[in-house]
Amino acid sequence: MNDRKNLINLAVFLLVALLSTLLIMAAISMLDLRGNGSPGGENNKRASQNDGSGKNRNKQDRNNNNKNKKGSGQREDDNGSNWKERAQRRRGERRSFDRGDYAYGQGPESMIPGDGWEYDIAPDQMPNLDISGNEGLPDMSFGMGGNTFVLKEGKNSHIPAFEVLGVPNYPFVRVMAMDNYRRSHWSMINEAPELMFLFGEKVDRKFSENTVKIKPVEPSKGYIPVLSGNFEMKYEFSLLEYKQSGVFYSTGVIENFYEMKYEDPPTEAELINAKTDDDYYYDIYVPEVVERIVDEVIENCETDYEAIKFVEKFLLENYTYDNTVLNNYGSGDAVVSFLTGKDRVGNHLDFVSAYAIILRAAGIPCRLALGYKLLPGVKYQVVYADQVYIYPEIKFEDYGWVPMDVFPYDVFYRPPKETITQITFADGTTKRGETVTVRGTVTDSSGNPIDNMTVLVYLKQYKSEPCISYAKAYVTNGNFEAVFDIKGDISAGKYHIIADVLENDVYRTSSSDPELKILADTFIDLEERSDIIGNKLNFAGRIVDFFTYEGIEGLEVHVSFEGMDLVETVVSEEDGKLYKEIEIEVPEDYPYYKNFFFAGRYLLFYGIEFKGTEIYTPYFTRRGVYMWKIYWINVTVAVVLLLDVVLLCVAIVLRKKGAFRRDGGKFPVLAAEGPGMIVAADAGAESVERNHGKVYIEFPQIGEGLPDVWGIKENLAVVFHDDEGNRGEIGAVFHKKGEYRIKISGKNDEYGARNIRIVDYREEIIAIGKNFLKEMSAKISGITDFMTLREIHDIIKPNIASERHWVLEDAFMVFEKAVYSDEDIVRSDYEKFYVFARELGKNSSI
């Protein structure tokens, strides 16, 4: 039967494979793909290429692509006149995006958002930038909502916006991207966002290469700063992602940091050889003055990069860049007025707007990014609101959006007055999970108290270590106080508490740095053993941080045996794992000994001790194990005698029962209904005869009082017998979770049945734990969904009798192991937690 089924499966597989091959060949024929060396052929775009969505790209792929480029800096299909033909084609394609209500090369009567244009973009309104005025850059902070940015007069406020940990791929972060231009207004694309939520992402606080972490100084929501180019996001909250724009929006308040991992940015040599993204479409109208400039660009260039550099050079040679100039274009188009004006003088916004429009008209996707300029090459910095920066981005086929810092200007400000920050009190030691208090003063250089400033508190193992802040405080009358918990995201050890006061328009930053020692309680989680045969004990377990249940590496644990001069040292390895094979020689006068004729049993008591360090607290526990010594001579004699007795009994039974007649009444079949299981029956199961009476099914491995629940991929012993003493046993292994029915049947009848539920022990513990927490939250006030298990434990503990505290402690240790640890969850964990949860649920004192 099985052979026939296998043949059918093989035939189906071969048929599907043949059809798949034919479909692939047909698709290749329809695509008419060219080889890399063929004239006019392009490098195929990877399916994972970034369109602003933050997907990472393999640097090796980039290098492989570059191999297909000519030594002159241009691809084989784009040299000379071929590039000009491509540029003219792209130029013509862009014309097809005219709205139809005006002639090509002319602007519409009114294209100002809100005047005849309808926007339905979430969350508030279409963000747009009005460049028609004569004032400074917009005032924008982290978490900006969707409004019209009207350029304002004067210097922006020098107030802290967000922290940056890591060296970005480019010295910019983008908050919004303005893709469309209409009548002195740059606006975002009208696209629907996608809700993005990452669950269980672990974000490391530490500095790492090619990674940037951003944390708002004040809890914020709205558009968030992100990198340009290709990157991957990690965050612990929900985000709306505008994939085409590469922009992210948070509807909830962000308090913690998020992370972006990027690939190395392209070098200038790689950009010289690169193609811009022909598939990125955008809407544009082209005034006549821009049309003439584009004619000159195409005439004088042979590559995309040459065209990009040509436009920059053209503007600098034909117009005067003066960032102090104030132009007011009124109702006229700002770009057209700048390019056709008599004075030909413009500020940063005039130049970057004209630069972007000319490149877009030439078929090169360029837009304006509204974000912040950063200090280059700095591992940690606080970004201020007056570092707002508007800069062009160009979309390349292989590298995503690449910032172009053309026409740069200085945004960095140094306040005139110095400050002095002094920590006057700080806890010297604390434990993970406990509170730290830091108090201090902030004065000017003359000792006068300062008000209305923000202090960030850092925990650093060495003073120059770059890291994200751990807490925050505000200065009132020259004083500040920060009270914060030491959570599981920082390890035990010695730290400097560093308090930095952040700058404002008048005062500079300063800091103070006393020392803090963070201690951790330890716990040794042993693999339980009740019996060993022979003289070797396989000692195994983990030494962990009691607060987080994370393993601790490099600690010495001592194992000593009562009544013996034997002490072994075990050093914890990765993830705190402890293992050593300990050979035990029991003395002849050992007090805990019993003789059972076949074997001698020694009850060994042994202590496990961690003596502690300056950072980790001591721990001691005591265990017992039975060590059996087999007396083989006695066993041999007993086996011979027993064999004689068995043979005699078999002869008597065979004679009485006629050698187990194989007719009508036997129940040789043990069947299981359910997916993915293997059943192995022993010989005894085929020779059991049933004449009358009830048939019983038992699971001897499942303890009394426990539900019929068993683990996936574990061997389950199934025993069945009837009233006459007939008995059989099989082993079953279940490879999928679900409800199974074990039944005993004959030819036509079912004699008995029993259900078994197959589970993943970790999932089962979590499910039981959730029900338990739900019951507790109904009885005890103060429990919320946002608490950690340890916080919930601390609320429940005072509400139960003290003699049951150990039950609560052990239950939560198993619960935390299931929730937080990647260690295997075994049968003993499940049984222990089930019993503890049941006992706690019966506690009448709650």
Side-chain angles (χ1 to χ4, degrees):
M1 184 67 181
N2 289 335
D3 291 341
R4 181 180 177 184
K5 184 177 180 180
N6 291 336
L7 287 174
I8 294 173
N9 290 338
L10 178 61
V12 171
F13 171 79
L14 292 175
L15 179 61
V16 171
L18 178 61
L19 290 174
S20 300
T21 303
L22 293 174
L23 289 172
I24 292 171
M25 293 176 64
I28 293 174
S29 177
M30 292 174 66
L31 288 172
D32 191 22
L33 295 176
R34 297 171 179 158
N36 288 337
S38 303
E42 293 184 3
N43 291 324
N44 296 330
K45 293 184 182 179
R46 297 177 305 280
S48 62
Q49 177 182 330
N50 180 12
D51 284 334
S53 60
K55 305 298 182 187
N56 207 9
R57 165 180 57 86
N58 190 295
K59 185 175 181 181
Q60 185 62 43
D61 292 345
R62 180 205 303 176
N63 296 334
N64 292 338
N65 286 338
N66 291 339
K67 292 178 183 178
N68 296 323
K69 301 170 185 174
K70 294 185 106 180
S72 62
Q74 186 56 42
R75 297 173 186 258
E76 293 184 17
D77 61 331
D78 287 341
N79 55 358
S81 60
N82 285 345
W83 179 86
K84 298 182 187 298
E85 292 173 3
R86 172 169 162 257
Q88 292 288 10
R89 185 190 74 242
R90 293 185 302 184
R91 187 181 183 187
E93 288 173 350
R94 300 302 184 251
R95 297 183 184 185
S96 65
F97 282 83
D98 295 339
R99 293 178 62 85
D101 54 355
Y102 56 91
Y104 177 76
Q106 299 175 356
E109 291 298 324
S110 176
M111 299 299 284
I112 299 175
D115 185 9
W117 270 38
E118 297 295 331
Y119 295 106
D120 56 1
I121 190 169
D124 295 319
Q125 70 178 68
M126 174 84 72
N128 61 91
L129 175 66
D130 181 359
I131 65 170
S132 64
N134 61 359
E135 301 168 7
L137 289 171
D139 192 2
M140 179 184 68
S141 63
F142 181 101
M144 186 66 196
N147 299 307
T148 299
F149 298 102
V150 179
L151 305 186
K152 70 171 198 174
E153 185 177 1
K155 176 186 172 301
N156 289 355
S157 300
H158 189 67
I159 57 175
F162 55 93
E163 305 172 62
V164 178
L165 177 63
V167 180
N169 48 0
Y170 306 100
F172 308 96
V173 286
R174 178 179 66 231
V175 178
M176 282 174 279
M178 305 297 179
D179 282 81
N180 295 326
Y181 178 79
R182 291 292 183 273
R183 210 67 175 284
S184 303
H185 280 256
W186 285 96
S187 62
M188 287 183 62
I189 297 174
N190 187 357
E191 61 172 317
E194 293 184 18
L195 179 63
M196 311 296 290
F197 182 75
L198 299 180
F199 180 75
E201 285 289 328
K202 186 175 181 180
V203 184
D204 191 356
R205 296 183 61 87
K206 296 181 180 179
F207 170 86
S208 59
E209 299 293 338
N210 285 46
T211 298
V212 171
K213 300 172 180 66
I214 291 181
K215 179 183 179 183
V217 173
E218 297 296 335
S220 302
K221 64 179 180 178
Y223 295 97
I224 67 173
V226 296
L227 301 177
S228 297
N230 302 324
F231 61 89
E232 292 178 344
M233 285 279 288
K234 285 187 177 182
Y235 47 92
E236 298 175 334
F237 40 82
S238 62
L239 284 177
L240 294 175
E241 180 181 3
Y242 297 85
K243 285 188 174 291
Q244 188 173 355
S245 301
V247 171
F248 293 83
Y249 188 95
S250 173
T251 56
V253 174
I254 300 174
E255 298 186 58
N256 204 354
F257 63 91
Y258 54 94
E259 178 180 289
M260 292 163 285
K261 185 173 180 60
Y262 63 86
E263 59 190 32
D264 290 333
T267 63
E268 185 174 10
E270 289 176 314
L271 290 180
I272 289 173
N273 294 318
K275 282 181 62 176
T276 56
D277 191 347
D278 289 358
D279 292 336
Y280 187 83
Y281 295 107
Y282 47 85
D283 195 358
I284 185 174
Y285 77 91
V286 184
E288 291 182 4
V289 61
V290 175
E291 184 80 349
R292 293 193 297 271
I293 296 172
V294 173
D295 287 337
E296 188 173 347
V297 171
I298 293 177
E299 180 63 28
N300 290 280
C301 301
E302 294 185 352
T303 71
D304 287 344
Y305 192 76
E306 284 184 9
I308 292 167
K309 300 303 289 185
F310 180 89
V311 173
E312 179 184 355
K313 182 180 178 182
F314 173 86
L315 290 172
L316 290 173
E317 289 180 349
N318 293 278
Y319 298 85
T320 301
Y321 178 70
D322 184 355
N323 209 33
T324 64
V325 72
L326 302 176
N327 290 323
N328 191 339
Y329 299 112
S331 60
D333 182 86
V335 172
V336 173
S337 299
F338 165 64
L339 292 175
T340 59
K342 293 181 180 180
D343 296 334
R344 293 197 167 194
V345 178
N347 57 29
H348 176 77
L349 281 178
D350 296 323
F351 269 75
V352 294
S353 295
Y355 173 86
I357 291 299
I358 295 170
L359 287 176
R360 289 160 68 88
I364 293 176
C366 183
R367 67 186 185 184
L368 293 190
L370 185 58
Y372 295 89
K373 189 170 186 177
L374 309 182
L375 291 167
V378 178
K379 292 184 177 180
Y380 172 81
Q381 59 187 296
V382 175
V383 178
Y384 289 80
D386 54 352
Q387 290 174 227
V388 63
Y389 202 72
I390 297 174
Y391 56 94
E393 289 185 318
I394 295 176
K395 194 168 195 300
F396 286 86
E397 186 178 85
D398 291 332
Y399 310 122
W401 289 104
V402 175
M404 295 290 172
D405 194 16
V406 292
F407 325 119
Y409 63 96
D410 186 20
V411 298
F412 303 107
Y413 171 73
R414 181 175 174 81
K417 295 186 178 182
E418 294 183 353
T419 61
I420 300 172
T421 300
Q422 183 67 44
I423 292 179
T424 58
F425 171 82
D427 292 320
T429 60
T430 188
K431 290 183 179 179
R432 298 173 82 180
E434 295 184 355
T435 297
V436 172
T437 299
V438 178
R439 289 191 289 269
T441 61
V442 179
T443 63
D444 62 18
S445 56
S446 301
N448 300 313
I450 300 175
D451 254 339
N452 301 321
M453 297 189 77
T454 301
V455 174
L456 295 183
V457 179
Y458 306 83
L459 298 178
K460 298 184 179 184
Q461 291 183 313
Y462 54 93
K463 294 182 182 180
S464 60
E465 175 187 7
C467 67
I468 291 284
S469 67
Y470 208 80
K472 180 176 59 179
Y474 300 101
V475 180
T476 304
N477 296 325
N479 297 294
F480 68 87
E481 181 179 69
V483 180
F484 54 93
D485 294 332
I486 301 297
K487 299 180 181 177
D489 58 356
I490 190 165
S491 57
K494 291 183 178 180
Y495 291 85
H496 294 279
I497 300 179
I498 298 180
D500 279 357
V501 62
L502 300 184
E503 297 177 352
N504 60 18
D505 288 312
V506 178
Y507 293 104
R508 300 176 195 165
T509 186
S510 60
S511 64
S512 181
D513 55 357
E515 189 175 274
L516 169 70
K517 189 185 297 182
I518 299 177
L519 308 180
D521 289 329
T522 56
F523 174 76
I524 299 178
D525 185 14
L526 294 176
E527 293 182 12
E528 298 289 348
R529 285 177 172 80
S530 57
D531 296 88
I532 58 173
I533 298 176
N535 65 339
K536 292 181 180 179
L537 170 65
N538 290 325
F539 175 80
R542 292 173 70 226
I543 182 167
V544 300
D545 183 323
F546 187 77
F547 180 65
T548 62
Y549 219 78
E550 295 173 350
I552 309 169
E553 185 177 354
L555 299 184
E556 288 189 357
V557 173
H558 303 282
V559 184
S560 59
F561 293 83
E562 186 177 330
M564 288 184 280
D565 186 17
L566 175 62
V567 179
E568 294 285 343
T569 300
V570 186
V571 179
S572 60
E573 300 177 355
E574 184 180 359
D575 196 30
K577 291 182 179 178
L578 301 166
Y579 181 81
K580 190 168 188 178
E581 187 179 80
I582 301 174
E583 188 169 339
I584 304 166
E585 292 295 336
V586 182
E588 295 182 358
D589 59 346
Y590 192 72
Y592 306 109
Y593 168 75
K594 282 190 177 182
N595 189 341
F596 295 95
F597 182 74
F598 300 112
R601 188 186 73 182
Y602 302 86
L603 177 55
L604 301 180
F605 291 103
Y606 60 100
I608 303 96
E609 181 181 20
F610 167 60
K611 295 183 178 180
T613 67
E614 190 177 9
I615 301 301
Y616 296 103
T617 58
Y619 181 86
F620 176 81
T621 187
R622 189 168 181 262
R623 292 289 190 274
V625 64
Y626 288 112
M627 188 177 81
W628 295 85
K629 183 177 181 181
I630 308 300
Y631 302 141
W632 292 108
I633 295 177
N634 295 358
V635 171
T636 303
V637 173
V639 167
V640 171
L641 294 175
L642 181 61
L643 183 60
D644 291 340
V645 173
V646 169
L647 292 175
L648 178 61
C649 293
V650 168
I652 295 171
V653 171
L654 290 176
R655 184 170 184 177
K656 181 178 180 181
K657 296 228 173 189
F660 289 104
R661 295 185 306 276
R662 298 180 176 272
D663 53 11
K666 63 183 180 179
F667 52 97
V669 180
L670 179 68
E673 296 177 350
M677 69 168 290
I678 299 173
V679 176
D682 62 9
E686 298 179 355
S687 61
V688 176
E689 178 181 305
R690 179 184 179 276
N691 293 321
H692 62 277
K694 187 176 181 180
V695 178
Y696 304 93
I697 297 177
E698 297 177 353
F699 305 133
Q701 293 162 295
I702 298 178
E704 185 177 353
L706 296 174
D708 287 346
V709 169
W710 195 251
I712 190 171
K713 297 182 181 179
E714 287 190 336
N715 187 66
L716 173 67
V718 182
V719 173
F720 53 97
H721 59 89
D722 64 8
D723 295 327
E724 297 183 350
N726 296 310
R727 183 180 180 87
E729 179 177 343
I730 66 167
V733 179
F734 302 83
H735 292 273
K736 291 184 180 180
K737 297 181 292 184
E739 189 83 17
Y740 294 80
R741 183 175 179 82
I742 308 292
K743 62 183 181 181
I744 304 298
S745 62
K747 291 183 178 179
N748 300 313
D749 298 321
E750 181 178 305
Y751 301 139
R754 186 170 177 178
N755 289 355
I756 184 77
R757 186 161 60 91
I758 304 303
V759 301
D760 178 283
Y761 286 134
R762 185 186 302 275
E763 294 175 359
E764 192 71 7
I765 288 173
I766 292 174
I768 295 171
K770 285 182 177 179
N771 289 334
F772 170 71
L773 295 182
K774 184 177 180 181
E775 293 174 2
M776 292 299 102
S777 63
K779 299 177 182 179
I780 302 172
S781 61
I783 298 176
T784 70
D785 294 338
F786 303 102
M787 289 182 172
T788 65
L789 292 180
R790 189 50 48 178
E791 290 171 336
I792 296 173
H793 165 276
D794 293 342
I795 290 177
I796 296 175
K797 187 174 181 179
N799 291 275
I800 66 172
S802 58
E803 62 269 16
R804 292 187 178 232
H805 284 179
W806 72 272
V807 177
L808 178 69
E809 188 66 39
D810 285 358
F812 268 77
M813 283 175 55
V814 177
F815 198 6
E816 288 171 331
K817 178 180 177 181
V819 173
Y820 300 129
S821 170
D822 58 359
E823 186 180 357
D824 289 342
I825 303 298
V826 296
R827 176 75 188 181
S828 60
D829 294 322
Y830 162 74
E831 291 181 351
K832 185 187 299 183
F833 188 72
Y834 179 86
V835 172
F836 288 160
R838 182 178 61 187
E839 288 298 313
L840 290 171
K842 294 177 180 179
N843 193 338
S844 59
S845 64
I846 298 178

